[in-house]
Amino acid sequence: MLSPALQEVEVGANPVQVEVGEFDEAIEVVEDAAENPCLNHRCKKGKVCEVDDTNTPMCVCQDPSSCPAAEGEFEHICGNDNKTYDSSCHFFATKCALEGTKKGHKLHLDYIGSCKLIEPCLDNELTEFPLRMRDWLKNVLVTLYARDEDNNLLTEKQKLRVKKIYENEKRLEAGDHSLDLLARDFQKNYNMYIFPVHWQFGQLDQHPADGYLTHSELAPLRAPLIPMEHCTTRFFEECDADKDKYIALEEWAACFGIKDKFCKKSKDLKR
């Protein structure tokens, strides 16, 4: 489900992003009666809280059959095992059941929607991908700023940075622009794109906020993108320049054409 702030953002042919908590393996609170020790006991996705004989709460793998039935195909997700799961609940419950095995370690959420053929990403298409992404990130921030009177969608420090972009008369308005125009605008108005790129990294880098993006942290952005942007997987794979399965802030910035000297610590992007 899209976060309320992003549901209304008009992105045209640009990609979408889901709320960060939806597809990472973040903790969730299980609600029950006031005396239930599971009330404030937190479990990862795919696990539920149960009490043992001494009334001590513990996390156990959820039975996939106990997951609510999907309301429609929009809830389906595709695992990197090329298998369609009815919902994220079914996926994470299945992954939990495989915990400790080689298969379970390798199993990750690939993208939102039923599994389908994803066309190979050609070299020239790969160079086009960051052009649209940079423009979209800038427009998302500008839209959030315009609507953020009392909603606290951005911090005060973030508002000051986005205000400069919002009020700049040279800003390229949101729309379906040619790739040539997007490339020229990036060259002419480079400074407008620095913060949006860094801001997106800070939004994803949360579990923990250590300056590196794991596969799970990246999922809220890449999972909705893949069915619409077939270069998504290859783009983020190549962002990991040293192939250590983590995308550092410096690698992220380089993927979007942002110079290293502008890189900041991840924690500073959230202020």
Side-chain angles (χ1 to χ4, degrees):
M1 178 180 180
L2 293 173
S3 63
L6 295 184
Q7 282 180 332
E8 299 177 7
V9 175
E10 296 179 1
V11 295
N14 288 320
V16 297
Q17 171 180 303
V18 295
E19 194 169 346
V20 170
E22 284 292 317
F23 292 101
D24 61 15
E25 298 180 40
I27 52 180
E28 59 181 1
V29 177
V30 179
E31 297 183 4
D32 206 340
E35 291 78 16
N36 192 326
C38 279
L39 177 61
N40 294 313
H41 192 73
R42 299 174 174 183
C43 297
K44 288 184 178 181
K45 292 281 189 181
K47 293 189 176 184
V48 292
C49 179
E50 293 184 359
V51 295
D52 61 15
D53 295 338
T54 62
N55 209 36
T56 301
M58 56 188 295
C59 293
V60 298
C61 290
Q62 183 175 3
D63 185 345
S65 65
S66 68
C67 291
E71 295 182 6
E73 291 190 7
F74 63 90
E75 290 190 23
H76 294 174
I77 62 171
C78 182
N80 64 343
D81 56 353
N82 202 33
K83 178 181 177 181
T84 298
Y85 295 83
D86 283 350
S87 67
S88 61
C89 175
H90 290 85
F91 172 80
F92 284 112
T94 301
K95 180 174 173 63
C96 183
L98 295 171
E99 202 169 61
T101 68
K102 186 176 181 180
K103 183 177 181 181
H105 178 72
K106 291 184 176 180
L107 181 60
H108 294 290
L109 183 153
D110 199 6
Y111 55 87
I112 296 174
S114 299
C115 295
K116 63 179 183 179
L117 175 65
I118 303 295
E119 296 292 335
C121 176
L122 303 179
D123 291 345
N124 65 305
E125 294 174 322
L126 185 64
T127 61
E128 298 170 356
F129 184 88
L131 300 180
R132 294 191 298 272
M133 278 293 295
R134 284 191 307 242
D135 184 58
W136 177 72
L137 292 175
K138 172 176 62 67
N139 291 331
V140 166
L141 270 178
V142 168
T143 303
L144 290 179
Y145 174 82
R147 299 174 180 171
D148 196 24
E149 295 182 1
D150 303 307
N151 296 323
N152 297 318
L153 303 174
L154 299 170
T155 66
E156 291 304 315
K157 190 172 183 179
Q158 289 172 340
K159 289 179 184 178
L160 289 176
R161 296 184 180 187
V162 183
K163 181 180 180 181
K164 296 179 181 179
I165 302 174
Y166 179 78
E167 295 180 345
N168 195 319
E169 294 182 355
K170 295 182 180 179
R171 175 171 58 87
L172 188 64
E173 299 291 338
D176 187 11
H177 303 294
S178 69
L179 295 174
D180 287 342
L181 178 58
L182 293 176
R184 289 198 303 272
D185 189 68
F186 178 64
Q187 294 297 323
K188 292 181 178 180
N189 300 303
Y190 172 78
N191 289 335
M192 292 189 194
Y193 294 90
I194 298 173
F195 182 67
V197 170
H198 286 171
W199 168 82
Q200 178 65 90
F201 186 95
Q203 293 295 106
L204 296 170
D205 181 28
Q206 297 191 11
H207 303 298
D210 56 2
Y212 295 89
L213 295 183
T214 63
H215 185 279
S216 294
E217 288 177 313
L218 191 58
L221 180 63
R222 70 180 295 279
L225 277 179
I226 293 176
M228 297 179 292
E229 293 274 0
H230 67 284
C231 283
T232 301
T233 297
R234 183 181 172 188
F235 176 77
F236 288 122
E237 285 178 348
E238 297 199 7
C239 277
D240 180 18
D242 58 8
K243 305 303 178 185
D244 65 351
K245 299 188 183 302
Y246 296 92
I247 298 179
L249 177 56
E250 292 79 6
E251 292 175 316
W252 174 271
C255 281
F256 287 97
I258 303 300
K259 301 174 185 177
D260 289 346
K261 67 179 182 179
F262 289 108
C263 287
K264 300 175 182 290
K265 293 183 179 179
S266 180
K267 63 181 180 179
D268 295 332
L269 307 178
K270 299 180 174 67
R271 296 176 183 173

